[in-house]
Amino acid sequence: QVQLVESGGGLVQPGGSLRLSCAASGSIFSIYDMDWYRQASGKQRELVAGITNSGKTNSADSVKGRFTISRDNAKNTVYLQMNSLKSEDTAVYYCNADVITTDWRRRVYWGQGTQVTVSS
């Protein structure tokens, strides 16, 4: 069993910053890619940024230059540093992880989501 727990969401003014964290725990042997997604009210879930276990990253055009994804493999944790936030960044943010468990099964796990609201 693997759990992903996100933290760091909240209310911030436009132009402000937040740092999201997502820690994976449980029967983990190894983690491949870790990603951040978001889902705004009434919209489909979209990929925000992703990072491989070797540190290669990708991000959506809408957040390039403002958001930075990173990870600490020793802590099985992925981060999303969000700067210059805009109202359109308001959404529930979810992390996921492509995990090999200790019984040699591979599966993508999701966190429960954390709300980010950008408003004055």
Side-chain angles (χ1 to χ4, degrees):
Q1 190 77 336
V2 174
Q3 300 82 36
L4 271 63
V5 178
E6 297 118 334
S7 60
L11 173 64
V12 63
Q13 292 186 342
S17 298
L18 282 175
R19 189 190 194 213
L20 305 183
S21 300
C22 171
S25 63
S27 304
I28 298 169
F29 176 77
S30 181
I31 302 178
Y32 292 135
D33 294 356
M34 300 184 83
D35 303 313
W36 285 99
Y37 282 74
R38 67 186 180 188
Q39 187 167 18
S41 180
K43 295 188 177 181
Q44 288 191 333
R45 192 173 295 191
E46 63 174 357
L47 176 66
V48 176
I51 186 167
T52 68
N53 56 3
S54 61
K56 184 175 180 180
T57 65
N58 65 282
S59 60
D61 288 343
S62 58
V63 306
K64 274 189 169 65
R66 300 188 299 121
F67 291 10
T68 302
I69 188 170
S70 61
R71 68 191 277 178
D72 184 333
N73 290 332
K75 295 181 179 180
N76 290 331
T77 299
V78 63
Y79 305 96
L80 187 67
Q81 177 66 44
M82 304 186 294
N83 299 328
S84 302
L85 282 159
K86 305 175 181 179
S87 58
E88 51 263 43
D89 295 318
T90 295
V92 178
Y93 284 70
Y94 299 90
C95 67
N96 75 17
D98 185 359
V99 177
I100 303 290
T101 57
T102 52
D103 60 354
W104 303 106
R105 296 173 187 266
R106 182 173 182 175
R107 179 188 155 184
V108 174
Y109 291 86
W110 288 84
Q112 81 287 354
T114 185
Q115 176 71 46
V116 172
T117 302
V118 184
S119 175
S120 55

